[in-house]
Amino acid sequence: MSQSQYNDFRQLNLLTMVIGALYHDSSTRLGITDNIALVLHFLYDNGQRCPVSDMYKLTGVPKQTINSSLRRLESAGIIFLEPYNGRSKQVRLTEKGEEFMHQTIGQLRGAEIHALDDWSPEEVESYIALMTKFAASLRREFIKLESPTIGV
């Protein structure tokens, strides 16, 4: 790896962390945890219902973390779990949950959309294409990783 590639990646990595911190700060301002925000974002983007297993698979968040967030949301009356495809469960928003999502993730989504107001359609398309390409490249490279010989 050249010094230029290393510096480019450091900048990409820093920007990824800055964006993560912005999402954390916004969740805190809205009075929800990062994991609750993630679950609600997922529901927002998937029609206010989805199989629990999709949350594990598509977010990369551990099952226990998702389950803890779901239990908190369920006890608050925001969601309920219903049978789905055999033993699987599906998450659905309650009426209270729909309002809560509007007050939290609805605000975040509005801010996300407004953040792109000064971007041209070509810039948005290019960003999506580049992020898609980067994710695919990372996936290919991460598959090659090997476990260390020294454990902790």
Side-chain angles (χ1 to χ4, degrees):
M1 170 186 322
S2 72
Q3 187 63 41
S4 174
Q5 287 174 309
Y6 180 75
N7 289 339
D8 289 345
F9 187 77
R10 283 183 51 203
Q11 188 173 4
L12 283 170
N13 200 35
L14 177 61
L15 289 169
T16 300
M17 287 187 274
V18 167
I19 291 169
L22 290 169
Y23 276 99
H24 170 76
D25 291 346
S26 66
S27 295
T28 301
R29 288 182 68 148
L30 294 169
I32 57 177
T33 66
D34 293 343
N35 292 324
I36 295 289
L38 180 114
V39 167
L40 292 174
H41 256 108
F42 199 84
L43 288 169
Y44 192 93
D45 288 336
N46 288 285
Q48 303 177 358
R49 72 171 67 185
C50 69
V52 174
S53 60
D54 285 0
M55 287 187 179
Y56 309 141
K57 293 173 190 168
L58 298 173
T59 65
V61 174
K63 286 181 182 182
Q64 182 58 41
T65 303
I66 295 287
N67 286 334
S68 294
S69 297
L70 292 176
R71 279 193 299 276
R72 277 187 69 190
L73 289 166
E74 190 172 33
S75 67
I78 305 296
I79 61 135
F80 64 95
L81 299 173
E82 62 184 8
Y84 175 80
N85 198 15
R87 290 182 31 198
S88 300
K89 299 278 187 194
Q90 177 172 256
V91 181
R92 287 196 54 191
L93 285 173
T94 63
E95 284 185 37
K96 177 181 176 182
E98 289 180 32
E99 179 62 25
F100 185 71
M101 185 181 311
H102 175 72
Q103 293 174 1
T104 56
I105 304 309
Q107 286 191 79
L108 284 173
R109 184 51 48 89
E112 290 166 332
I113 290 168
H114 288 302
L116 296 175
D117 281 349
D118 61 346
W119 289 37
S120 71
E122 295 79 20
E123 287 172 320
V124 173
E125 187 178 313
S126 178
Y127 182 73
I128 291 169
L130 291 169
M131 291 300 292
T132 301
K133 184 177 181 178
F134 184 60
S137 297
L138 272 180
R139 184 174 291 110
R140 273 194 317 275
E141 292 303 316
F142 284 177
I143 287 171
K144 298 175 190 175
L145 296 176
E146 298 177 10
S147 296
T149 57
I150 300 172
V152 260

